[in-house]
Amino acid sequence: MSLYSNIAETPQDAAAFLESLTLFAGLDQDQLSEVAGRMKRRSFAPGVTLYHQDMPGMMLYMIEEGSVRVYSIGRTGQELTLAIFGGGDIFGELSILDSQHHSATAVTLAATVVWLLPRTDLKDLMERYPVIAEAMIQLLVARVRSTTHHVEAMTFQDVQGRLAYELLNLAERHGCQTGDTIVIDIPLTQGDLATIVGATRESINKAMSALRSQNLVQIDGTQVTLLNPAGLRNMVHERGR
């Protein structure tokens, strides 16, 4: 796959994909077809920046497959991962709704296929179909709740507790469960985890070693498997959240 490619053909099940997204779930088939006609489908290789922090927001992004990391960069160059999105997730909405620049950078973690909806089309659709506007409000509420929980974990937990919390969160959103174990279906390096937890790589390595020694997690390259999710939840609860 090239760094960027235009997928010219629109899949026959495009409406079915859009219907699977909460943003458009309230539309009928004709309306879904109209939305699909306004969108472009693109594929990206791993490591491609979709937009930079402080760039104007021009598109709403919808992931068909793959994963995207959204992060902010401080003045010292330190990164903080704000979210990792996967198949079925929507992002880039804030800069469209308030007409401001992006507050973070988005980069693909794996080969990714996304649908792009221009800002002017999204605003037009929200005016014409109130059900989309209502779904957007619900999306923003979910974002606020997720941010609140993340801040609580960052405040009340030590590094090991924060790592356990974030691994559970990633497993809930991107996990594939087999029996009692859950594989996080996105590639994660120690550096990625450090930017998610808000810690140094050294402290993440130490915390991860502690979780492995307790048979709570297993690491195979960039793949993380939760061997005992219940044990991780107990650890988070005992450490303050």
Side-chain angles (χ1 to χ4, degrees), residues 168-184:
L168 286 167
N169 184 46
L170 288 167
E172 180 179 353
R173 301 187 68 247
H174 308 288
C176 296
Q177 187 160 356
T178 302
D180 295 330
T181 66
I182 304 176
V183 177
I184 299 177

Side-chain angles (χ1 to χ4, degrees), residues 15-100:
F17 167 70
L18 293 178
E19 190 175 18
S20 72
L21 304 178
T22 56
L23 189 60
F24 304 112
L27 301 181
D28 61 31
Q29 292 301 311
D30 290 339
Q31 293 165 342
L32 288 170
S33 296
E34 177 190 351
V35 175
R38 294 175 180 239
M39 298 169 63
K40 298 296 183 182
R41 191 165 173 261
R42 300 285 187 265
S43 65
F44 298 91
V48 175
T49 299
L50 303 181
Y51 56 77
H52 287 281
Q53 188 171 330
D54 295 327
M55 284 180 56
M58 303 301 294
M59 296 285 178
L60 182 71
Y61 295 79
M62 288 147 279
I63 302 177
E64 180 179 326
E65 61 181 63
S67 55
V68 174
R69 181 170 76 99
V70 177
Y71 64 96
S72 61
I73 306 175
R75 292 184 178 180
T76 62
Q78 184 177 1
E79 296 180 5
L80 175 65
T81 294
L82 303 174
I84 293 181
F85 296 113
D89 285 333
I90 297 170
F91 63 99
E93 73 286 344
L94 290 181
S95 59
I96 293 179
L97 295 176
D98 65 6
S99 299
Q100 300 296 315

Side-chain angles (χ1 to χ4, degrees), residues 141-163:
V141 169
R143 294 270 200 268
V144 172
R145 289 188 184 278
S146 177
T147 300
T148 300
H149 293 160
H150 176 75
V151 171
E152 288 176 345
M154 295 280 283
T155 303
F156 300 129
Q157 299 278 350
D158 58 13
V159 173
Q160 189 171 323
R162 299 204 307 263
L163 177 60

Side-chain angles (χ1 to χ4, degrees), residues 179-214:
D180 295 330
T181 66
I182 304 176
V183 177
I184 299 177
D185 194 26
I186 52 174
L188 291 169
T189 66
Q190 296 281 331
D192 292 333
L193 290 171
T195 66
I196 294 172
V197 173
T200 64
R201 293 189 184 187
E202 291 75 15
S203 60
I204 287 297
N205 182 61
K206 181 178 179 180
M208 187 66 79
S209 296
L211 297 183
R212 292 174 65 182
S213 68
Q214 298 173 66

